[in-house]
Amino acid sequence: WFPDEGRLVTAGFGGALSVWELETGEFRALAGHVSAVSQLAVDAPGALITSTSYDGSSKLWDGASGFFFNSTATTVMYA
């Protein structure tokens, strides 16, 4: 959830994030990962979205526009 409670971000096996406008039901897809998204978070003001994927990358997105800022390599650990 975003702090304004008007938006929700979801992710799935396809590697894309979706930012949903809850009033209208419309969404914006944020594509970038090539494997399933394993974790995502929205910062307290709703300005940034971070996502981590099983493809070994972490990505940073603008929470309002969906603009992609940066990607870093991560180590994926399997239990």
Side-chain angles (χ1 to χ4, degrees):
W1 292 97
F2 281 80
D4 63 11
E5 296 183 5
R7 293 178 293 158
L8 173 71
V9 65
T10 61
F13 294 107
L17 281 66
S18 297
V19 179
W20 297 85
E21 299 293 335
L22 299 179
E23 250 185 57
T24 64
E26 295 178 1
F27 72 94
R28 177 179 44 240
L30 308 180
H33 294 290
V34 296
S35 188
V37 174
S38 58
Q39 298 175 332
L40 65 92
V42 178
D43 74 338
L48 299 172
I49 302 168
T50 61
S51 58
T52 302
S53 170
Y54 289 109
D55 64 13
S57 68
S58 292
K59 299 193 180 295
L60 182 64
W61 315 84
D62 180 273
S65 69
F67 178 79
F68 170 69
F69 285 120
N70 195 11
S71 180
T72 60
T74 60
T75 302
V76 179
M77 300 185 73
Y78 298 94

